[in-house]
């Protein structure tokens, strides 16, 4: 069965391809030659995932899913959340985003945070949402070179290392995105 994944991010495509049953053929936006950027104008991860999946489904008419993720910090009332990629500005610079976050949390004891992924699926014209969460804490300083985004300052619950100090396969065992993907795959298998 053909399924479109509304992303150009090849890492995400590979991650889900390893989880999908064999009879699914996954198409990314890159493979489809889709170049028009879909504006993520929603005020929640759910809204953004739905905006993306509806836009792509309208064009191609096939079963489609899309994801949106963000880092939600308790002491900042859930910020940066839906604005995670552009927290420090539209250049979407990971270092600037981390610097800004560490600055906002200076002197604050409560470092609790979570990464959250929402996947929106349109399957046989019906809409579904799947969520994956990993809880943890924001560290005092960045550590580690792996991963991307806020990984160097996020230490998952019950772990000593930041996401950026873990290998990709270690991160994927507990990450928000894998958890949401697993729920999607469970649905597709059922
Ligand atoms: P798309 O092109 O697929 O939209 P993106 O880079 O915008 O990819 P996401 O929507 O998944 O990625 O996540 C938005 C931002 O949230 C991302 O730019 C990071 O700043 C942060 N983020 C999400 N998942 C993360 C992770 O696993 N580790 C570190 N930061 C993450």
């Amino acid at each position: 069965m053909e399924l479109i994944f509304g992303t150009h991010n090849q890492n995400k495509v590979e991650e889900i391809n390893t989880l999908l049953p064999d009879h699914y053929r996954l198409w990314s936006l890159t493979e489809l030659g889709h170049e028009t950027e879909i504006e993520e104008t929603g005020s929640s991860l759910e809204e953004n995932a739905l905006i993306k999946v509806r836009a792509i489904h309208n064009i191609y008419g096939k079963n489609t899913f899309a994801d949106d993720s963000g880092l939600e910090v308790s002491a900042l009332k859930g910020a940066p959340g839906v604005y995670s990629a552009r927290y420090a500005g539209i250049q979407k610079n990971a270092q600037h985003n981390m610097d800004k976050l560490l600055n906002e949390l200076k002197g604050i004891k409560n470092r609790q945070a979570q990464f959250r992924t929402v996947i929106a699926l349109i399957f046989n014209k019906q809409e579904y949402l799947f969520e994956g969460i990993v809880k943890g804490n924001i560290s005092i300083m960045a550590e580690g070179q792996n991963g991307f985004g806020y990984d160097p300052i996020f230490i998952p619950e019950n772990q000593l290392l930041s996401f950026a100090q873990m290998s990709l396969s270690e991160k994927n065992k507990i990450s928000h995105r894998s958890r949401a993907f697993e729920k999607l795959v469970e649905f597709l298998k059922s």
Side-chain angles (χ1 to χ4, degrees):
M1 183 185 290
E2 292 188 306
L3 193 58
I4 298 174
F5 184 3
T7 187
H8 287 286
N9 185 327
Q10 192 54 30
N11 296 318
K12 291 184 184 177
V13 175
E14 279 165 25
E15 185 178 334
I16 194 140
N17 248 331
T18 62
L19 296 169
L20 266 185
D22 281 349
H23 62 279
Y24 281 95
R25 165 65 167 97
L26 203 62
W27 292 90
S28 70
L29 292 183
T30 314
E31 283 178 292
L32 292 171
H34 183 96
E35 272 161 22
T36 337
E37 189 163 345
I38 302 159
E39 294 250 8
E40 297 180 23
T41 52
S43 55
S44 66
L45 299 175
E46 284 79 1
E47 272 179 37
N48 274 347
L50 284 167
I51 288 171
K52 278 197 263 186
V53 82
R54 286 173 186 157
I56 300 158
H57 184 263
N58 272 342
I59 299 171
Y60 299 100
K62 290 188 196 304
N63 293 332
T64 302
F65 67 93
D67 71 323
D68 199 23
S69 303
L71 177 65
E72 300 173 332
V73 179
S74 302
L76 303 177
K77 300 192 181 85
V82 75
Y83 303 107
S84 295
R86 52 205 145 115
Y87 191 39
I90 50 164
Q91 325 81 267
K92 297 186 175 176
N93 181 294
Q95 188 61 53
H96 294 169
N97 288 339
M98 285 192 290
D99 290 346
K100 175 167 177 180
L101 185 59
L102 291 178
N103 214 25
E104 300 274 346
L105 288 179
K106 223 175 234 166
I108 295 182
K109 283 222 177 74
N110 177 7
R111 317 284 295 186
Q112 285 173 8
Q114 63 180 26
F115 274 121
R116 195 162 72 90
T117 293
V118 173
I119 295 178
L121 168 74
I122 299 182
F123 194 81
N124 295 341
K125 303 202 164 61
Q126 289 261 70
E127 292 182 349
Y128 302 88
L129 289 173
F130 305 92
E131 184 187 60
I133 290 176
V134 56
K135 291 182 184 294
N137 287 286
I138 303 300
S139 58
I140 300 296
M141 54 182 236
E143 279 193 87
Q145 304 294 328
N146 301 332
F148 71 103
Y150 297 87
D151 280 344
I153 59 168
F154 184 81
I155 302 178
E157 218 169 50
N158 304 320
Q159 305 282 330
L160 296 172
L161 301 178
S162 76
F163 262 164
Q165 291 173 300
M166 296 181 183
S167 67
L168 184 60
S169 67
E170 278 172 324
K171 178 185 169 187
N172 281 346
K173 276 185 211 150
I174 54 173
S175 85
H176 47 309
R177 208 168 1 263
S178 335
R179 285 177 177 165
F181 279 160
E182 275 162 16
K183 288 187 189 165
L184 168 73
V185 170
E186 238 169 73
F187 171 87
L188 292 171
K189 281 180 174 167
S190 65

